[in-house]
Every structure is written in structure tokens, then in C-alpha cells.
């Protein structure tokens, strides 16, 4: 049973180690807003979102005052627009995105996710219209995030969709060239996307979820780093088995804290509690970096030999700690390795310790994938699609979530610097091997069949 006094004590001890509630996300189903009239649909979704989440920000502020812990972001996830807005064309999809942006601005939230298409096995009219609308929608809106699921272990890999996404990502980046391709930073391509992710840009509310639900994302890379440093200093003969235990125990404490706060927010809003997503999600600040955990354990830098092995241990220990602490752990729950959002990871990419190829290898054992990776602006759409295909294959074969958030920075070449601001951070443009070449493999299209391990019935 969760003891609020113990949790409050824990939070007070680690506040200086950058523990925060990275996000409280209210998921809202728009299934009952469906209409074939665009104005009716826009009115319905605006009214429902603002009604259900109307007190989200004030409630989170109240929780902050009560417990003294920051709720860094207040967010909303919605039903996949590619499904609930299926009758509409691409221009109308842009109108819908702007309506979502207007609702988010009215509520004072940070991001709204769910401008989403689920196309792992094929596309409907609505899916295609949404995908074609993404560049304009993300350029003209401020708070809307988009995700496209192009693969799953059950369905295989939709190479036609991946081929399209290479073009879409290029267009989104080029339309925001003055901001280093910012629109592409709000777009992520998934394999095996979970239905309950509270983190952006991949958050959406799955069709099997409740009408409205509160989920929380807890982050604490600085807490894990400090716990490891203390254990290494205080315990003679400490080995990696003990290090894994320290991470697991720390993750359990963080999960319990997140669930306590999440349940209280849900109660105050009169909504059911969904899940707590314990993900070591860094910020571009010192002492809040996943890369610093690698250095704390003794690696010279993230990307050095041994990095993949330690990341596998870190990710596993975080999941075990979360599962021990709560019966409602969901989302991604693991370790994120976003380049631009993590000061230490960005530094490793700058000095050449971390290459795109090594980063891809590490995504086989982390909880997401190639995240917030800026690449040269002249990288061809086909090569972007090929990078995505490689990342999707890792997820499909290993029955895990993987994702690609790639930003071809217009006018920038490998080694240049990009700045996105806020939690999106800044970092180097990473080199892409043969990035400007054509790729006839991608042109073949079709579907890569699901692997034999998908036959589990």
C-alpha cells in the first residue's frame, strides 16, 4: 500500500536531484464527436476537450503547492485523428489541427498529441489525408504533436507508409527552415506504439481506453545518477548486480511517487487513473541527463564500448522497479536517449563518441529509438525512409516499441549546430552514411511480412 508520508519524504530528499513529474496527461476519447460535417466535428472536439480538461492546469498547480513537486508539463492526448476524422480531406485535417491547437492554448497546456495515423498494415482515406496534412498542420500550429505507427510485430512493416513518411518529414522540416526544421521535431514514427503513452510527441489515446483518463510520466535521471554515485562511494566491492539493485530500488520509489500524485490528480478531476510511465526522460540541463548515468557507472562517455550493455541493464532495472512498485505501469517505461534533449548525449555526438550507427544499436535495448536526431538537410527522403525502416525492424523483430524522430535540418551539414529551445533542446547535426544517395530498396514498397514470432496463438 502506498504511504503518502513516505512518498512525500522521498520527494523532499531528491528535489535537488531534478526529480519531477515530467507530465500529467489527460487522455480524451473523441469517438462520440464523429461527424461528416467539418464544422460540427470541430465544434464537438473543441467543446469536449475544453470541458474535460478545463481544470487540468489549476489542479496540477494545486498539487505542486501541496507536495512541493513540480509538474513540468500539462498535456492532453486524444483518439487518433486518422480514425475519428476519417471522412475529411487533407485541408480539413489542417483545420482540425488548428482547432486542437486553439483548445490547447485556451487551456494553457503544453502539447496535445493524437494527430495520429495507425497504418502498420494499410491506409484508409482518413489516414492518408492526415499524413498528407502533417507538414502544414505542424507548421501552422504551436502545440499539436503527431505520430504515425507504420509497423508492428503482428502486422510487419508497411514500407509504402515508410516511403511516404520520408517525404513528409522532409516537407515538415523545410516548411520550418528558419527554426532548423522544428515541425519535424513534433513528429515521430513508431513500431508497436503503445495506446497509453503520456510522453510527447507520441502520445495518443488508444481505441481500447476509457472515455477520459489521467496518466502520469515520471522522470528522474538525476535521481538515478545520484543514487549510483552514493552507492559507489559508500559500498566497497560494489558490482553491477548491486548497481542494478540500486537502480531498481530507486525506480520503485519514483514510481510510487508518480502514482500517488497521478491518483490524486485523477480524483480531483473526477476521472479514472490510467498508468504511470516511469521513463528516464532527460532535459537539456546538467544533472538531469541519462548520459551522466553512463559516466557515473564508469563509462568514459555514452557511445563508448560497453554503452549498449549498460543501457540494457539500466532499461531492465527501471522496468523491474516500476513493476514492483505499481500494478499500473504502462506507456514506454524505460530509458530515453534523445540526442538534442540530453546535454551529455549531445556532447558525445559532437565529439564523435556517439555516431548514428552506434545510436541505432543502442535503440535495440532502450525504451524508444532514434529520438530528436538532427541530420543534414540534404539527406534524401529515401534515405530518411531507410533509416526509419531499420529502426522499425529492430522493434518488430524484438517485439518492442521503437521510434524515429528525425529532423533533416535545412541548410545544415554534419557537425553544424541546431537549436529548438525548451525541452526539445539543442545539439549537433549527425552524419548520415551515404545520406544524399538514392535508395532503390525503399522504392520497392509493399510490406515486409511479420516475423515468425508473431504467430503466438
Amino acid at each position: 500500500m502506498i504511504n503518502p508520508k513516505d512518498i512525500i519524504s522521498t520527494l523532499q530528499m531528491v528535489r535537488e536531484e531534478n526529480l519531477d513529474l515530467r507530465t500529467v496527461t489527460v487522455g480524451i476519447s473523441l469517438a462520440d464527436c464523429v461527424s461528416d460535417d467539418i464544422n460540427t466535428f470541430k465544434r464537438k472536439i473543441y467543446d469536449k476537450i475544453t470541458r474535460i480538461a478545463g481544470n487540468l492546469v489549476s489542479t496540477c498547480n494545486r498539487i505542486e503547492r501541496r507536495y512541493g513537486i513540480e509538474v513540468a508539463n500539462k498535456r492532453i492526448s486524444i483518439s487518433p485523428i486518422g480514425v475519428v476524422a476519417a471522412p475529411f480531406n487533407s485541408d480539413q485535417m489542417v483545420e482540425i489541427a488548428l482547432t486542437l491547437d486553439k483548445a490547447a492554448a485556451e487551456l494553457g497546456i503544453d502539447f496535445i498529441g493524437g494527430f495520429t495515423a495507425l497504418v502498420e498494415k494499410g491506409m484508409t482515406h482518413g489516414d492518408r489525408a492526415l499524413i498528407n496534412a502533417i507538414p502544414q498542420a505542424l507548421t501552422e500550429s504551436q502545440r499539436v504533436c503527431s505520430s504515425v505507427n507504420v509497423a508492428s510485430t503482428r502486422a510487419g512493416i508497411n514500407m509504402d507508409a515508410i516511403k511516404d513518411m520520408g517525404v513528409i518529414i522532409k516537407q515538415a522540416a523545410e516548411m520550418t527552415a528558419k527554426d532548423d526544421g522544428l515541425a519535424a521535431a513534433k513528429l515521430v514514427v513508431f513500431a508497436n506504439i503503445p495506446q497509453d503513452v503520456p510522453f510527447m510527441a507520441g502520445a495518443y489515446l488508444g481505441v481500447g481506453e476509457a472515455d477520459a483518463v489521467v496518466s502520469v510520466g515520471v522522470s528522474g535521471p538525476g535521481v538515478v545518477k545520484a543514487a549510483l554515485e552514493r552507492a559507489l562511494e559508500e559500498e566497497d566491492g560494489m558490482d553491477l548486480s548491486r548497481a542494478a539493485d540500486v537502480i531498481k530500488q530507486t525506480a520503485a520509489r519514483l514510481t510510487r511517487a508518480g502514482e500517488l500524485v497521478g491518483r490524486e490528480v485523477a480524483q480531483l478531476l473526477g476521472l479514472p487513473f490510467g498508468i504511470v510511465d516511469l521513463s528516464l526522460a532527460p532535459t537539456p540541463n546538467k544533472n538531469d541527463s541519462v548520459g551522466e548515468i553512463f559516466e557515473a557507472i564508469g563509462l568514459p562517455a555514452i557511445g563508448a564500448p560497453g554503452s549498449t550493455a549498460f543501457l540494457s541493464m539500466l532499461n531492465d532495472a527501471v522496468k523491474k522497479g516500476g513493476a514492483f512498485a505499481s500494478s499500473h505501469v504502462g506507456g514506454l517505461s524505460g530509458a530515453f536517449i534523445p540526442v538534442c534533449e540530453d546535454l551529455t548525449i549531445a556532447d558525445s555526438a559532437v565529439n564523435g563518441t556517439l555516431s548514428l550507427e552506434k545510436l541505432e544499436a543502442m535503440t535495440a535495448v532502450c525504451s524508444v529509438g532514434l529520438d530528436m536526431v538532427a541530420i543534414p538537410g540534404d539527406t534524401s527522403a529515401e534515405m530518411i525512409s531507410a533509416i526509419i525502416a531499420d529502426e522499425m525492424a529492430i522493434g518488430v523483430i524484438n517485439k518492442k516499441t521503437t521510434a524515429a524522430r528525425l529532423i533533416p535540418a535545412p541548410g545544415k551539414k554534419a557537425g553544424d549546430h541546431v537549436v529548438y529551445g525548451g525541452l526539445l533542446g539543442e545539439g549537433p547535426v549527425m552524419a548520415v552514411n551515404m545520406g544524399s544517395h538514392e535508395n532503390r530498396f525503399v522504392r520497392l514498397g509493399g510490406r515486409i511480412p511479420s516475423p515468425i514470432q508473431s504467430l503466438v496463438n
Side-chain angles (χ1 to χ4, degrees):
M1 181 178 178
I2 296 174
N3 185 326
K5 291 183 179 179
D6 290 343
I7 299 302
I8 293 170
S9 176
T10 300
L11 296 179
Q12 288 173 340
M13 286 190 294
V14 300
R15 280 182 66 193
E16 66 274 14
E17 296 163 5
N18 288 302
L19 168 66
D20 61 20
L21 276 183
R22 186 54 48 85
T23 180
V24 172
T25 302
V26 174
I28 302 173
S29 172
L30 301 182
D32 56 354
C33 299
V34 171
S35 173
D36 60 1
D37 179 80
I38 184 63
N39 292 320
T40 300
F41 181 72
K42 290 193 299 181
R43 174 179 54 79
K44 283 184 172 182
I45 64 174
Y46 181 87
D47 289 348
K48 184 168 186 181
I49 291 168
T50 53
R51 172 173 54 84
I52 290 179
N55 295 322
L56 174 58
V57 172
S58 61
T59 300
C60 289
N61 292 341
R62 178 177 171 184
I63 292 294
E64 288 180 345
R65 290 192 297 269
R66 178 170 182 177
Y67 292 109
I69 179 172
E70 179 187 9
V71 179
N73 297 285
K74 299 87 174 173
R75 296 167 172 171
I76 293 171
S77 64
I78 56 173
S79 306
I81 291 295
V83 174
V84 295
F88 303 119
N89 61 36
S90 292
D91 289 339
Q92 291 169 321
M93 288 290 186
V94 174
E95 292 184 45
I96 292 167
L98 296 178
T99 301
L100 297 174
D101 200 50
K102 179 182 176 183
E106 172 69 22
L107 296 172
I109 65 158
D110 304 282
F111 287 112
I112 183 166
F115 200 71
T116 297
L118 309 174
V119 296
E120 58 267 27
K121 208 169 183 179
M123 288 193 197
T124 66
H125 167 82
D127 294 326
R128 189 171 297 281
L130 181 139
I131 288 172
N132 289 335
I134 286 173
Q136 185 178 351
L138 298 187
T139 297
E140 295 184 7
S141 65
Q142 301 297 315
R143 296 170 174 83
V144 174
C145 290
S146 182
S147 56
V148 180
N149 194 72
V150 298
S152 71
T153 299
R154 178 67 85 176
I157 304 173
N158 186 343
M159 289 299 296
D160 290 328
I162 288 177
K163 180 171 62 175
D164 291 344
M165 290 311 299
V167 175
I168 293 297
I169 290 168
K170 283 277 286 187
Q171 290 176 351
E174 288 166 356
M175 291 178 72
T176 49
K178 63 182 178 61
D179 297 314
D180 290 333
L182 177 63
K186 299 184 287 181
L187 169 61
V188 59
V189 183
F190 271 97
N192 294 319
I193 187 172
Q195 296 191 48
D196 54 5
V197 180
F199 285 100
M200 298 296 170
Y204 83 105
L205 187 74
V207 294
E209 297 286 328
D211 187 63
V213 63
V214 174
S215 295
V216 296
V218 184
S219 181
V223 180
V224 173
K225 174 200 169 193
L228 280 176
E229 289 175 335
R230 281 195 299 269
L232 286 164
E233 183 179 346
E234 296 170 2
E235 300 181 23
D236 293 333
M238 177 175 163
D239 62 9
L240 290 173
S241 295
R242 173 58 183 149
D245 283 340
V246 170
I247 297 168
K248 183 170 62 177
Q249 292 161 7
T250 304
R253 291 166 60 200
L254 300 180
T255 303
R256 285 183 179 274
E259 182 167 352
L260 168 71
V261 176
R263 287 189 179 277
E264 182 150 351
V265 171
Q267 182 179 18
L268 291 171
L269 291 175
L271 300 175
F273 176 72
I275 57 96
V276 54
D277 184 332
L278 174 61
S279 290
L280 300 183
T283 65
N285 300 315
K286 191 171 178 58
N287 297 320
D288 199 23
S289 160
V290 170
E292 290 178 346
I293 303 174
F294 285 68
E295 296 174 357
I297 202 66
L299 288 162
I302 186 170
S307 294
T308 306
F310 175 64
L311 181 57
S312 69
M313 186 187 90
L314 175 65
N315 206 54
D316 180 66
V318 168
K319 290 180 183 294
K320 287 175 177 173
F324 171 79
S326 174
S327 297
H328 298 283
V329 173
L332 297 165
S333 288
F336 293 0
I337 47 173
V339 176
C340 289
E341 293 179 356
D342 188 303
L343 185 65
T344 307
I345 297 177
D347 286 344
S348 286
V350 168
N351 63 36
T353 304
L354 181 65
S355 66
L356 185 62
E357 291 77 16
K358 178 62 175 178
L359 187 65
E360 182 184 293
M362 292 172 67
T363 65
V365 297
C366 78
S367 63
V368 193
L370 295 172
D371 195 9
M372 282 301 294
V373 180
I375 57 178
D378 65 355
T379 306
S380 69
E382 289 180 346
M383 279 299 183
I384 293 173
S385 296
I387 296 169
I388 294 170
D390 285 345
E391 190 60 33
M392 300 303 102
I394 291 172
V396 167
I397 293 297
N398 291 294
K399 296 188 285 186
K400 69 182 290 291
T401 299
T402 51
R405 187 160 44 149
L406 305 172
I407 310 159
K412 297 295 178 72
K413 62 183 184 300
D416 287 346
H417 193 77
V418 292
V419 179
Y420 300 109
L423 288 177
L424 297 177
E426 59 186 275
V429 176
M430 300 185 73
V432 175
N433 187 23
M434 302 182 71
S436 60
H437 286 60
E438 64 179 11
N439 194 310
R440 289 182 294 165
F441 164 72
V442 169
R443 289 182 207 164
L444 293 174
R447 270 189 20 238
I448 295 177
S450 57
I452 190 68
Q453 55 263 47
S454 69
L455 303 178
V456 295
N457 286 334

